[in-house]
Amino acid sequence: MGDHVPLEGIIANQMRTLRFHHSEMSQAELGQRVGVTRQTIASIEAGKYSPSLEIAFRIAHVFNVPLGDVFQWTVKSGE
């Protein structure tokens, strides 16, 4: 059973673009529809906070798109 190093990755998101294309929805409105604060939405958009899987699905549902259209995960370089 060799040593297994966990993969490190970066989560990107398209929330700001999706908000813009949905009648320029505010962070506060998205937060209200998802059940979190505006500050949480701002932190997720900025990449400072990773949402729970349930919140991620809720965000995708609000925009009526697959989860992969909102969030993308890529392996960090050098892995």
Side-chain angles (χ1 to χ4, degrees), residues 1-2 5 9 25 31 37 39 44 49 51-54 69 77:
M1 296 227 142
V5 178
M25 181 186 299
T37 65
Q39 292 87 345
I44 295 169
Y49 175 74
S52 69
L53 192 53
E54 181 177 359
D69 286 1
S77 298

Side-chain angles (χ1 to χ4, degrees), residues 12-61:
N13 71 74
Q14 305 303 315
M15 289 171 48
R16 187 171 183 188
T17 301
L18 288 164
R19 286 192 306 102
F20 180 80
H21 290 298
H22 283 79
S23 303
E24 298 186 20
M25 181 186 299
S26 69
Q27 290 177 334
E29 182 181 349
L30 178 57
Q32 185 176 43
R33 293 179 68 179
V34 172
V36 299
T37 65
R38 179 203 63 78
Q39 292 87 345
T40 298
I41 296 297
S43 291
I44 295 169
E45 281 188 11
K48 295 179 181 177
Y49 175 74
S50 294
S52 69
L53 192 53
E54 181 177 359
I55 296 301
F57 275 109
R58 288 182 191 178
I59 292 167
H61 180 78

